[in-house]
Every structure is written in C-alpha cells, then in structure tokens.
Amino acid sequence: MKPDAVETRGAEAAKPRATPAALGYRMPAEWTPHQGTWLSWPHNPDTWDADQLAAVERVLAEAARALAVGETVHANVLDAAHEARVRQVVGNAADVRYHHFPTNDAWCRDHGAVFVVRAAAPRLAATDWGYNAWGGKYPPFDLDNAIPQRMAEALGVPRFEAGMILEGGSIEVNGAGLLLTTEACLLNPNRNPGLTREEIERRLRAMLGVERIHWLVGEMAGDDTDGHIDNLARFVGQDTVVAAVEDDPRDENYAAL
C-alpha cells in the first residue's frame, strides 16, 4: 500500500484512500474538550486477585462517576451479566453507556482506538493500530486487538487502519504538531520488526497529523511496556512537559538536583 494511503473502514467504504492527515485530521492534546472517555472494565484473574479487583473496581467506579458529570463514559464489558455487576459497582452515574465488547484485559488506553479530529464533517475518526500486549508478553490479546473497530462502529465514525503495532501509552502529543515517543518501545523488535524508524515516523505523521517527532532514549527499570512515554514524560501544555526522573542512590549529586 502506498505510504500516502491507508485502508478506511466503518462509516466510509473500505478502500485505499488519503490518510487522516491528508484529510485534515489530527490527534488532539489530552486536555482538549472532548465528548467522552472509554474504559475497558477490569476482570482478568491473571492480572488481579479477588481483593485487588475489588479495590480497582471501586477506584474506577469513582472515576467513572466523576467523569460522567460532564461527559459520556463508555464502558467495555464482557456481556449482560458483567454489565449488571459493573452497574452495581458504579451505581447511579449521570451518563455511563455499557458496550458488550469483551476484552482480554483492562488497558483501554493501550488497546483502544486513537481518535483524531478535524473541523469538517465527519469531525471525528478512529485510528486503528495493531495491539499485541506489549510485544506478546501477555497472550491472548485477540479481543483487545478488535476493540478499535468496535469502538468506531459504536460511534459510527470512519476508521483508518495503521498497519503497525502501537499502544496509546507509547505516544504523547501537544495538539500543535509535536509527538513524543521512545526508542525502547516503538523500535523494539517485538513490535514492528519490519519497519525502520523513518517508516514508523511516516505512519505517525500520516495517521495522527503530527509534524515533529522527538524520540526519547531509555526506559524505567521494571517497565514491562518497554518504555511507554506516559511513564516518562507528559505534556501539560503546548510548550510544557513534566518528566519523571528515577532515583539513583549511586549518584552523589542526585540530592542536589
């Protein structure tokens, strides 16, 4: 497929066509006003024991109730029985919509669609990146990989397939053309072994409407995402970044930093 074309599905016919960037779409900054937030409700016993799951559900329910005051919360649940259970935990929330979209696990930021926007109709579109559970570390992941398509269909928006592996937590944008990512994650051979840095950059620009890409080097110890940018640095404004720095007890100057 030509680098200036992607496959579009969903609300538009499935055929090679212009990229989201060529159509005027861009990925907005996280603080940009938006219509809703998507969650994949936790349930996997391999991730959470019973006590952990109960605690996580309480915290997520609190977040859902707070978010639902001002926007729609979309919750991916396994089935009707799971929905009934989650409704009990969430309680009387203003605007929570439940979708019977089964998942393997709860990390919707990583496996969900990455939305892009533009001024002209249709204003919203979904970009669909492949998901392999952080380099195949936690199979199975087939249900999670199908979530972007189901999200786009639920909203009735165009869907653009990127043709590469990428988790949402591996990229960070300022909404004004700048993207941050890490070499340790996107260049890891467990993600896209057949793509060069230049090819990955072309896809990021084409799919997300960014112009500049800064690659950070390194990752935090014990990070099984292989260096997700959202563990290292986040934009809090178009020109302001908050970065995490690890303690190194061997560094005699650390206390003075």
Side-chain angles (χ1 to χ4, degrees), residues 18-190:
T19 65
L23 294 172
Y25 288 104
R26 62 175 178 82
M27 182 180 175
E30 191 150 329
W31 56 83
T32 303
H34 52 276
Q35 298 173 347
T37 296
W38 284 77
L39 310 171
S40 291
W41 205 263
H43 61 83
N44 190 334
D46 291 332
T47 304
W48 328 92
D49 64 30
D51 290 340
Q52 289 174 329
L53 181 59
V56 167
E57 285 188 302
R58 287 194 297 270
V59 172
L60 196 56
E62 184 177 354
R65 289 191 294 269
L67 287 166
V69 172
E71 62 186 75
T72 301
V73 175
H74 298 269
N76 297 325
V77 295
L78 300 178
D79 50 30
H82 192 211
E83 176 184 342
R85 168 181 161 69
V86 175
R87 282 182 179 274
Q88 288 183 332
V89 178
V90 173
N92 186 22
D95 190 5
V96 179
R97 302 180 186 177
Y98 295 91
H99 303 273
H100 295 177
F101 299 164
T103 61
N104 301 109
D105 219 324
W107 315 114
C108 196
R109 181 181 182 84
D110 286 344
H111 62 235
V114 177
F115 290 107
V116 290
V117 296
R118 68 179 183 183
R123 297 185 61 188
L124 183 70
T127 64
D128 185 349
W129 307 78
Y131 176 77
N132 70 351
W134 313 285
K137 294 184 181 71
Y138 301 104
F141 43 81
D142 56 313
L143 298 176
D144 290 345
N145 191 40
I147 289 297
Q149 178 176 348
R150 305 194 76 171
M151 291 170 63
E153 290 171 350
L155 296 175
V157 301
R159 177 174 64 94
F160 296 89
E161 293 186 9
M164 64 172 271
I165 300 293
L166 179 140
E167 301 98 43
S170 68
I171 55 173
E172 175 79 4
V173 301
N174 70 347
L178 178 59
L179 180 145
L180 301 180
T181 189
T182 66
E183 293 182 349
C185 185
L186 288 197
L187 298 183
N188 195 307
N190 66 14

Side-chain angles (χ1 to χ4, degrees), residues 211-229:
E211 300 166 357
R212 294 171 293 156
I213 299 169
H214 288 337
W215 295 82
L216 277 66
V217 178
E219 60 182 290
M220 286 190 172
D223 175 13
D224 58 3
T225 70
D226 300 312
H228 271 191
I229 190 66

Side-chain angles (χ1 to χ4, degrees), residues 182-215:
T182 66
E183 293 182 349
C185 185
L186 288 197
L187 298 183
N188 195 307
N190 66 14
R191 300 305 205 280
N192 300 290
L195 297 180
T196 65
R197 179 197 297 255
E198 291 72 25
E199 289 168 334
I200 290 173
E201 287 190 353
R202 281 198 294 272
R203 296 190 190 214
L204 292 172
R205 292 189 176 98
M207 297 296 292
L208 303 177
V210 297
E211 300 166 357
R212 294 171 293 156
I213 299 169
H214 288 337
W215 295 82

